[in-house]
Amino acid sequence: MKKIMFFATTLLLSLNVNAAEYGFGATLNGESSTIYIPINITKEFRVEPYFSSFKQKPNEYSGPYRANQYGLGLFKVKEAPYNTNIIMGVRAAYTSGDSSGKFDGYSFGPVLGFEYYPIENFSVGADVSWQYTQMKYSGAPQYYGDDGYTTKYYRTTTSVFIKYYFK
């Protein structure tokens, strides 16, 4: 419930700003999907709440896995030639899920990307991120011990997205 309240509060606060442009975007990667709500506060500053969901069916090596992520991106947007924008900023997120027990944690890190507008209001783009992640696992003593455990790691992520902006 806390994560839903965090996401809803972030979204409502963002929508109360007199933004010039709101949008809707998505990334679909087989078992995972992300929905973005880009809000261009100015031509050069964007706030972007997002929600990701990942589900994996059980296989011979592991049981079912599911995770949800509620996040927020803050970006500087720089116009480039040929209907392109360069995007630089940071994303932070809260993640929770289960796989032979429960887990939750957070991640944050810098993001660099671009988006190309083949037509007005519609963009396709990609970004790369370097993330620090910390997760706490609990709920399955046979796997995690009685108190669970915490793990920290760094990783890179990439995504390809489409976005539509309402004016």
Side-chain angles (χ1 to χ4, degrees):
M1 185 66 174
K2 288 181 186 177
K3 54 193 164 226
I4 293 171
M5 292 302 296
F6 168 77
F7 187 71
T9 302
T10 302
L11 180 59
L12 289 173
L13 288 174
S14 299
L15 292 175
N16 283 330
V17 177
N18 272 335
E21 221 171 47
Y22 295 88
F24 180 80
T27 298
L28 304 173
N29 296 330
E31 296 173 331
S32 69
S33 58
T34 302
I35 295 173
Y36 303 98
I37 303 172
I39 303 165
N40 291 328
I41 305 300
T42 68
K43 267 184 112 171
E44 297 179 343
F45 181 68
R46 177 179 299 164
V47 174
E48 191 172 79
Y50 66 95
F51 170 76
S52 293
S53 179
F54 180 85
K55 292 180 183 171
Q56 182 178 342
K57 295 180 181 176
N59 58 40
E60 62 185 281
Y61 303 108
S62 67
Y65 176 89
R66 129 188 120 67
N68 291 320
Q69 187 174 66
Y70 306 87
L72 180 67
L74 303 172
F75 301 101
K76 178 179 171 77
V77 179
K78 183 172 166 87
E79 285 188 38
Y82 308 108
N83 299 326
T84 304
N85 286 338
I86 305 298
I87 303 163
M88 301 166 277
V90 63
R91 279 195 183 116
Y94 170 78
T95 303
S96 67
D98 60 69
S99 173
S100 303
K102 305 267 183 212
F103 62 88
D104 72 334
Y106 64 90
S107 63
F108 63 90
V111 179
L112 179 62
F114 75 94
E115 63 183 337
Y116 169 69
Y117 291 82
I119 59 174
E120 189 178 359
N121 298 354
F122 178 78
S123 72
V124 294
D127 63 41
V128 62
S129 174
W130 178 82
Q131 291 181 343
Y132 168 80
T133 301
Q134 180 173 316
M135 291 290 174
K136 172 137 177 77
Y137 295 84
S138 62
Q142 68 271 26
Y143 298 108
Y144 307 135
D146 290 335
D147 295 330
Y149 71 95
T150 300
T151 184
K152 301 173 187 176
Y153 57 91
Y154 302 95
R155 68 180 183 160
T156 57
T157 63
T158 58
S159 64
V160 176
F161 55 82
I162 59 170
K163 294 179 182 169
Y164 181 81
Y165 294 91
F166 306 97
K167 287 190 175 185

